Amino acid sequence: MTSTAAHSPFPSGRAVPTPVTGGRGGLLASVVGVAVGSVFFLFPIYWMLVTSVKPPSEWLTSPPVFIPDRLYFQNYTDALFNWGGLKGLVDSGVVAVSATAIGMVLGTFAAYSLARFRIGGTNLSFFILSLLFMPPVAIGIPMFLFWSALGLVDTYIALIVQYLTFTIPFIAWVMKGFFEDLPVDLEESALVNGASRLRAFVDIVLPNVRPALVATALLAFIFNWNEFSIAVLLSRGRVTTLPFILPTMMESHYVLWGDIAAMAAVGALPVVIIAFLLQRYLVRGLSFGAIRSE
Amino acid sequence: MQVGPISRRRFLSTSAKAGAALAMGGAVTTFLEACSATPNASSAAASASGTVAVEIDEGQNANPFQWFNPNMKAKFGATTNIIGLPFVGQYEKIVAEMVTRSSVYDVLVFPPQMLGDFVSNGFLAPLSELGNESDFNLTDVLPAYRDPNLRRNGKLYAAMYDGDILQIAYRTDIFSAAGISQPPQTWDDFLNIAKELHKPPTQYGNAFLAQRGFCYAWFMNIFAALGGKWFTADMKPAINTDQGVQALQMLVNLKQYAPPNILQIGYQELNEAYLNGSTAMVVQWDDLALKAEDPSQSKVVGKNAYAPCPVRNYMPYSRVMAVSAFSKNQQNAYKVIQYMDSADVSIKYVYDPKCGEDPFRQSHLDASKVKDHLGNPSMPAAQAQSYVGAIKTCLTTGYPELSIPGAPRYLDILDLFVNEALAGSLTPSQALTQAANEWDSITASLGQDNQVKAYSDWVNAFHAAGVTY
Amino acid sequence: MMATRRRPSRWSGGRRFALLTVAPATIILIVLSVFPLLYSLRLSFTDQQLLSLVPPRFVGLANYAQLLQDNLFWSSLGVAAAFALSVVTVQLGVGLALALALYRLPRYQQFIATLLLIPSILSSSVASFQWRSLFDYSSGPLNYFLGLLHLPLLSWTADPRLALPSLLLVDFWQWTPFVTLLLLAGLHALPASVFEAARVDGSSSWQILRYQTLPLLRRVIAITVILRLIGAFKVFDIIYVLTAGGPGSATESLAFYNYVQGFRYFSVGYSAAMSYVSVIIVIVLARVILRYMERPVGRPAADVPVAEAAV
């Protein structure tokens, strides 16, 4: 089998075979289907953006306001400055970038050994994979007690290290698939020429899977950026990631729809920008991460 | 294949031991320590900082602390730093923090239903030991809020911040047009009026809070009027009785004369249902009046009157302030509480619609003060009179919210099953029977004898305060 | 392919390297996941209450026995199963249809796919809040549209019959794009020659889908099913924000009930037992599906390389 990792799953421009819907009727149905789907999947995003620029008097009107007369940006200043959105951006950034970076180093090395040396056999692989599936609530109490015993609740360290429990398995799982697809001949010739294993890995293997590394890191970053359950358990007031801040905006007396939507938009913006900049990698990472298994 | 099973096993077991030392060692010690925790009053002497960390539910209820920061700074050199918790989940977060004896919070603001748990687990430092009870001018605090909410085992643990009670708000214009001369005096009366005034889709007879979370309070409000009690003296649940079933059936019946989305109605939606003019009468927390007379949020200014609920008025939630037993700044925390609770200061926030606090002192209950201190001086004198008058009556007939150890749990279970009955998935009788069974297992898990004693102390506190229970 | 991928004998000298590289990750995972799990296991044999003055006792399997009699546990398991099952079937069905439709439109395909993917890259708490406002009875857009169509207005999350479907709608909105993209990538990995040959045979579109495409996509489908099944089984945030388990216990899933017992009632022993049951369910499910996926395709040998190509 050739290395699937080396080319995009989306061959653009060439005529596409039609596995199911033949004929012009099928094409029409496809266009309609995609159009309807786009409206459905994008309308709530529009609703979020439009709510984020509505004045309070338009948050709960009946009928709802779909196009505000004027743009009201105070929700954004409220979200960023009164509700700590700015600090949330910084904290989310620190935690997500650190957890992703550390996870990439540890996870990629582990994936390589799992793929090439089959260390730990299928049990270690399955163990790592199954951690990805564990409901966070299952380890919530011991996890909380562990970090508070170390006096590290509500710190960057606690969140970053705890995020590694799903970041590493994810990266290891996805990267293992890429490494398995990579022909061993490349490394072998390097080894024959006297390179150490580390050299061979760094100089020969990694450059060959660079697109995969980008895609995997991107997805890991998105997961870390969005993480909620663990943040709720391990954060108080000093380290406040954006998903953590959001529910605190649900007050006893009033739901601040505009502020919440602004905060949501602020939180979504970085991942959406990155997703579009790296869309080629994102799509590929998703597909290969999932298509590969074991 | 050189990575054989033996080396693998050895490798795993070595890392296992290292991990065990780290994970188990630390966690178990803390866990055990936490479970046998006793209040650590000696930490009070430790470093006193100028900043007092105040735990409170996020949002408008935190505002008064911030308004008075400059005054507190001038008076005793300390300011407050708000640590806001989400309103839903506040209890979980406080407990998770306090079982590890964390000193993150200096002042805790919470509803009295949590007081039993917090005191019995040693989370709070008694105010009577940090200072002098006379600092709190307790005789001015309304009896229904005083001892049962603030005192345990003879010691003062908390001071009032927000008094809550349910009352009726109704539309005088709709009532007089229908020839109804007075607010309902019994629950049957209430049902009949709701039925008569129910003209959907333009006008609904009544509305109440039916969403999961607080719907139990609307059940208790009716149950109390029928003479219901929480428990018998030996801690048998007293809700699965004839009165209980009758009260829950009444609440279910009232659904027919309510807006069609009644199950979606929470606090904010209930206010909205009344303020937008579509509902003839509602049972709601007393601060609805401040909003109803505020033209910026109400379409019904000047068309309202306020009345006590039939026979009894349930007192859901409220907020009290206490000093954390693990605080390193207890003296300043004490001063903050004393300052915020004082009659002069509290009168300035309990009638301000920019926060959610409600009156709790005798000296608050003066109609002229509502106008003086209200952020919206638009409240007509007649409405202010009616509002304060209703609160006065309500408080004499106030029915207390459970605050023995485990109370948040008993209440959440009750809420779940009241909600089941409102949703129609269980009959009132089934719902209350199941709730009672769950209550029995809560009592068993907390220790039957402990609970019997805690309940009887609590009931006695009400009797001592002159409140009928 | 198997031959080039696994030649352990040549790699024997790498054992030290392998150990050193796999150890840091493994140690972190063991310390942070396995030991908490063991700790939970121990807790699950006690009647520990975080807020009780009664000292905890060792109760053996009593918590597990109590689970069997706990109506709320069974109803929460039922909710979780209904939720997971609906999520998987509906999202897979619609995802496949959308993927096939997108496949027909090569132009801007990647851009549209990324655009559609936005719901899946938002945090689920963001998604839940948006839908809370969309579902609002009087000011929400959904009821507004129903009103325009002269349909009766709905209470969505507050209606006992509609509450779970409403949550399903949110999950559908958030994760169907992700499913679509996985299947689309799977479609692209299929060799065009298969379909061309089939078309020459005169097979109908439906026949091609049923007998060619779907069997070849089996592996991708299995992975999608695992990911969504387990995601659905863990679902918590949208319940927390949208219904708090209500009305009644209509949307109280296993994960949510577990949270209530552990973090609201602090019955940590009982909650630990429940965690164990859910962990076991999840692992068994994952194993079964993975095993099914690993089995060779039950078709003539000629198809096997094609299946591998999809990998």
Side-chain angles (χ1 to χ4, degrees):
Chain A
M1 170 183 141
T2 55
S3 170
T4 336
H7 54 75
S8 163
F10 292 106
S12 50
R14 75 177 165 89
V16 174
T18 54
V20 110
T21 43
R24 210 174 294 152
L27 188 64
L28 186 67
S30 299
V31 171
V32 171
V34 170
V36 170
S38 304
V39 170
F40 173 77
F41 291 111
L42 296 179
F43 176 74
I45 306 287
Y46 171 76
W47 183 248
M48 171 177 89
L49 292 175
V50 81
T51 307
S52 76
V53 292
K54 279 190 216 170
S57 59
E58 292 180 2
W59 291 348
L60 281 174
T61 54
S62 173
V65 174
F66 290 101
I67 301 164
D69 291 338
R70 61 188 183 91
L71 301 183
Y72 179 85
F73 287 108
Q74 201 190 319
N75 295 332
Y76 281 90
T77 52
D78 281 351
L80 286 173
F81 304 111
N82 298 351
W83 283 101
L86 210 54
K87 185 175 180 319
L89 277 173
V90 172
D91 286 354
S92 284
V94 168
V95 171
V97 168
S98 314
T100 308
I102 300 171
M104 281 304 288
V105 173
L106 298 180
T108 309
F109 270 112
Y112 182 67
S113 297
L114 288 172
R116 279 289 186 265
F117 307 101
R118 292 203 292 153
I119 186 166
T122 51
N123 287 334
L124 187 56
S125 291
F126 185 75
F127 159 67
I128 289 178
L129 177 60
S130 59
L131 287 181
L132 207 50
F133 299 152
M134 194 167 57
V137 70
I139 57 161
I141 286 167
M143 176 180 83
F144 177 77
L145 294 172
F146 174 71
W147 289 108
S148 55
L150 298 176
L152 290 174
V153 166
D154 207 11
T155 60
Y156 285 140
I157 294 180
L159 279 190
I160 293 167
V161 176
Q162 197 63 45
Y163 282 9
L164 292 177
T165 56
F166 64 88
T167 307
I168 291 177
F170 173 76
I171 293 169
W173 186 40
V174 176
M175 288 309 300
K176 179 171 165 271
F178 285 108
F179 289 133
E180 281 170 354
D181 285 347
L182 199 70
V184 294
D185 316 0
L186 291 170
E187 297 132 275
E188 278 176 352
S189 56
L191 287 174
V192 169
N193 291 334
S196 70
R197 290 201 182 267
L198 188 61
R199 273 266 138 250
F201 177 66
V202 173
D203 290 349
I204 309 293
V205 177
L206 286 187
N208 270 295
V209 291
R210 199 164 49 204
L213 288 171
V214 176
T216 312
L218 176 61
L219 287 172
F221 176 81
I222 291 175
F223 294 150
N224 284 315
W225 181 269
N226 288 337
E227 205 290 328
F228 173 72
S229 314
I230 294 173
V232 162
L233 290 173
L234 291 184
S235 284
R236 290 297 171 269
R238 286 197 299 271
V239 176
T240 50
T241 61
L242 290 168
F244 172 83
I245 296 175
L246 217 49
T248 64
M249 299 173 77
M250 246 197 324
E251 293 182 4
S252 59
H253 287 70
Y254 201 61
V255 180
L256 303 154
W257 289 116
D259 295 19
I260 287 177
M263 185 72 87
V266 164
L269 198 64
V271 278
V272 172
I273 289 177
I274 295 174
F276 273 93
L277 287 179
L278 301 175
Q279 51 180 294
R280 211 160 48 87
Y281 297 102
L282 176 73
V283 170
R284 199 190 298 180
L286 268 185
S287 44
F288 286 97
I291 293 168
R292 293 301 289 133
S293 70
E294 294 170 79
Chain B
M1 179 82 188
Q2 294 293 306
V3 186
I6 295 170
S7 65
R8 187 166 70 239
R9 203 179 306 136
R10 195 191 305 135
F11 157 69
L12 284 175
S13 82
T14 314
S15 31
K17 277 174 204 149
L22 257 170
M24 298 297 266
V28 173
T29 329
T30 328
F31 197 88
L32 297 179
E33 211 175 78
C35 297
S36 59
T38 47
N40 182 3
S42 65
S43 62
S47 68
S49 117
T51 308
V52 175
V54 177
E55 172 285 320
I56 188 169
D57 55 298
E58 188 72 79
Q60 63 172 358
N61 295 302
N63 291 345
F65 284 96
Q66 279 158 348
W67 295 337
F68 290 101
N69 263 340
N71 310 45
M72 287 191 269
K73 179 92 184 162
K75 191 153 190 253
F76 50 85
T79 54
T80 59
N81 174 38
I82 300 295
I83 303 182
L85 296 182
F87 180 65
V88 177
Q90 186 188 11
Y91 173 71
E92 292 99 292
K93 286 206 181 297
I94 298 177
V95 171
E97 198 65 46
M98 299 302 277
V99 292
T100 64
R101 319 188 78 196
S102 145
S103 59
V104 169
Y105 306 134
D106 299 314
V107 170
L108 297 166
V109 182
F110 56 88
Q113 53 167 281
M114 301 177 192
L115 188 74
D117 277 334
F118 291 179
V119 169
S120 68
N121 284 278
F123 294 169
L124 305 180
L127 296 176
S128 33
E129 286 171 15
L130 291 169
N132 195 329
E133 283 190 18
S134 62
D135 292 347
F136 296 93
N137 190 10
L138 288 167
T139 49
D140 185 39
V141 177
L142 296 158
Y145 290 138
R146 195 169 53 209
D147 289 7
N149 276 3
L150 308 177
R151 205 183 280 281
R152 281 293 182 281
N153 313 321
K155 291 177 191 162
L156 186 71
Y157 277 94
M160 284 298 289
Y161 179 60
D162 174 20
D164 278 333
I165 193 153
L166 294 183
Q167 61 172 219
I168 296 177
Y170 65 98
R171 290 276 298 282
T172 45
D173 54 337
I174 296 178
F175 269 57
S176 52
I180 303 167
S181 57
Q182 57 168 5
Q185 305 299 307
T186 65
W187 280 101
D188 287 326
D189 208 6
F190 189 100
L191 182 70
N192 289 334
I193 293 176
K195 186 176 176 182
E196 188 177 340
L197 300 179
H198 189 60
K199 300 185 175 80
T202 50
Q203 181 180 307
Y204 304 107
N206 86 118
F208 56 95
L209 193 152
Q211 205 182 50
R212 175 86 167 88
F214 278 104
C215 64
Y216 74 89
W218 274 254
F219 159 74
M220 287 305 300
N221 198 35
I222 304 175
F223 183 50
L226 303 182
K229 299 269 190 290
W230 295 101
F231 295 99
T232 63
D234 56 349
M235 280 304 280
K236 288 269 163 296
I239 46 168
N240 52 335
T241 52
D242 289 347
Q243 294 114 310
V245 174
Q246 215 180 321
L248 191 47
Q249 189 61 53
M250 172 62 74
L251 199 61
V252 172
N253 293 345
L254 284 171
K255 254 177 66 182
Q256 303 167 64
Y257 312 117
N261 62 327
I262 180 73
L263 288 173
Q264 210 177 26
I265 288 187
Y267 172 85
Q268 196 186 342
E269 291 83 2
L270 184 52
N271 282 346
E272 198 51 40
Y274 188 76
L275 299 177
N276 69 18
S278 68
T279 308
M281 94 184 137
V282 298
V283 172
Q284 172 68 310
W285 270 287
D286 42 346
D287 63 322
L288 172 61
L290 301 177
K291 298 177 165 56
E293 308 303 342
D294 174 0
S296 76
Q297 34 187 332
S298 166
K299 292 182 183 155
V300 293
V301 176
K303 296 177 180 170
N304 316 291
Y306 307 94
C309 301
V311 193
R312 298 299 297 261
N313 293 76
Y314 188 65
M315 303 193 291
Y317 218 67
S318 301
R319 286 175 181 81
V320 299
M321 304 175 281
V323 176
S324 159
F326 316 122
S327 159
K328 298 199 168 71
N329 199 4
Q330 291 184 333
Q331 282 308 323
N332 276 336
Y334 179 88
K335 285 180 196 152
V336 167
I337 292 178
Q338 190 206 341
Y339 183 81
M340 294 303 290
D341 172 73
S342 64
D344 305 353
V345 174
S346 56
I347 186 66
K348 291 179 182 143
Y349 60 78
V350 290
Y351 289 124
D352 193 318
K354 288 191 290 301
C355 67
E357 284 28 82
D358 298 317
F360 54 86
R361 287 182 173 277
Q362 310 274 11
S363 54
H364 294 158
L365 294 183
D366 176 344
S368 67
K369 288 188 174 162
V370 182
K371 218 164 153 55
D372 288 353
H373 295 280
L374 194 60
N376 62 339
S378 62
M379 190 181 233
Q383 268 69 29
Q385 204 68 48
S386 163
Y387 170 53
V388 169
I391 294 181
K392 275 186 186 159
T393 322
C394 287
L395 286 165
T396 62
T397 59
Y399 185 93
E401 177 147 284
L402 194 66
S403 67
I404 61 173
R409 230 172 119 179
Y410 290 111
L411 296 178
D412 190 65
I413 285 290
L414 179 61
D415 190 72
L416 171 68
F417 286 103
V418 168
N419 204 240
E420 293 273 24
L422 287 173
S425 33
L426 294 177
T427 67
S429 158
Q430 287 167 334
L432 292 172
T433 307
Q434 291 194 29
N437 289 340
E438 296 286 332
W439 277 18
D440 277 331
S441 56
I442 298 171
T443 304
S445 74
L446 295 172
Q448 176 82 20
D449 297 344
N450 297 342
Q451 294 301 89
V452 167
K453 172 160 190 322
Y455 182 64
S456 105
D457 287 354
W458 181 77
V459 171
N460 290 337
F462 277 99
H463 291 159
V467 177
T468 320
Y469 173 72
Chain C
M1 170 186 137
M2 300 301 279
T4 56
R5 198 163 72 186
R6 287 171 188 161
R7 274 185 290 183
S9 59
R10 295 213 188 174
W11 294 90
S12 55
R15 203 181 115 210
R16 204 164 59 95
F17 175 80
L19 272 180
L20 283 176
T21 50
V22 93
T26 312
I27 289 172
I28 287 185
L29 294 179
I30 287 178
V31 170
L32 293 170
S33 299
V34 177
F35 287 98
L37 277 175
L38 290 179
Y39 186 85
S40 288
L41 184 64
R42 206 197 63 163
L43 270 184
S44 78
F45 298 129
T46 70
D47 64 353
Q48 178 96 53
Q49 301 265 338
L50 222 42
L51 286 185
S52 175
L53 303 182
V54 183
R57 289 166 311 165
F58 180 82
V59 295
L61 293 172
N63 285 328
Y64 293 91
Q66 195 191 330
L67 271 181
L68 298 179
Q69 296 164 10
D70 183 346
N71 290 337
L72 288 173
F73 167 72
W74 287 111
S75 75
S76 72
L77 195 61
V79 167
F83 191 84
L85 216 63
S86 326
V87 158
V88 168
T89 49
V90 176
Q91 294 182 10
L92 202 68
V94 176
L96 187 64
L98 264 179
L100 289 168
L102 267 176
Y103 189 76
R104 285 295 304 269
L105 311 169
R107 200 171 288 189
Y108 309 119
Q109 187 182 78
Q110 186 169 288
F111 179 77
I112 297 174
T114 312
L115 203 61
L116 288 186
L117 195 64
I118 293 177
S120 304
I121 61 176
L122 294 183
S123 93
S124 51
S125 55
V126 169
S128 312
F129 274 105
Q130 287 327 302
W131 279 91
R132 207 177 127 142
S133 114
L134 291 166
F135 281 141
D136 192 273
Y137 188 84
S138 47
S139 65
L142 293 188
N143 272 357
Y144 173 74
F145 294 137
L146 289 180
L148 287 185
L149 299 172
H150 299 289
L151 293 170
L153 306 190
L154 300 175
S155 291
W156 301 102
T157 52
D159 182 323
R161 283 155 308 164
L162 274 182
L164 195 61
S166 301
L167 295 186
L168 283 166
L169 182 65
V170 179
D171 197 82
F172 174 83
W173 174 77
Q174 190 166 23
W175 291 108
T176 305
F178 175 77
V179 170
T180 305
L181 214 67
L182 289 184
L183 296 171
L184 183 61
L187 284 175
H188 277 299
L190 301 184
S193 56
V194 177
F195 307 112
E196 280 152 15
R199 198 162 296 284
V200 172
D201 290 350
S203 306
S204 75
S205 299
W206 172 251
Q207 283 169 328
I208 299 177
L209 175 68
R210 175 69 188 78
Y211 297 106
Q212 299 284 340
T213 317
L214 287 185
L216 292 180
L217 282 179
R218 196 179 68 162
R219 207 180 169 88
V220 191
I221 291 175
I223 280 291
T224 313
V225 168
I226 294 191
L227 287 174
R228 288 314 304 130
L229 203 57
I230 280 152
F233 205 73
K234 284 204 277 195
V235 70
F236 175 80
D237 308 4
I238 61 172
I239 299 177
Y240 189 85
V241 174
L242 283 165
T243 64
S249 51
T251 57
E252 201 161 285
S253 73
L254 187 54
F256 194 82
Y257 184 50
N258 197 351
Y259 156 82
V260 167
Q261 283 291 347
F263 290 90
R264 190 181 293 166
Y265 301 162
F266 295 102
S267 303
V268 291
Y270 190 55
S271 154
M274 212 182 310
S275 303
Y276 258 84
V277 174
S278 30
V279 166
I280 289 167
I281 293 176
V282 164
I283 288 186
V284 168
L285 275 179
R287 267 246 122 118
V288 167
I289 300 171
L290 279 177
R291 182 155 303 163
Y292 166 80
M293 199 177 66
E294 296 299 313
R295 248 180 12 206
V297 180
R299 283 178 57 82
D303 273 0
V304 175
V306 181
E308 290 291 338
V311 168

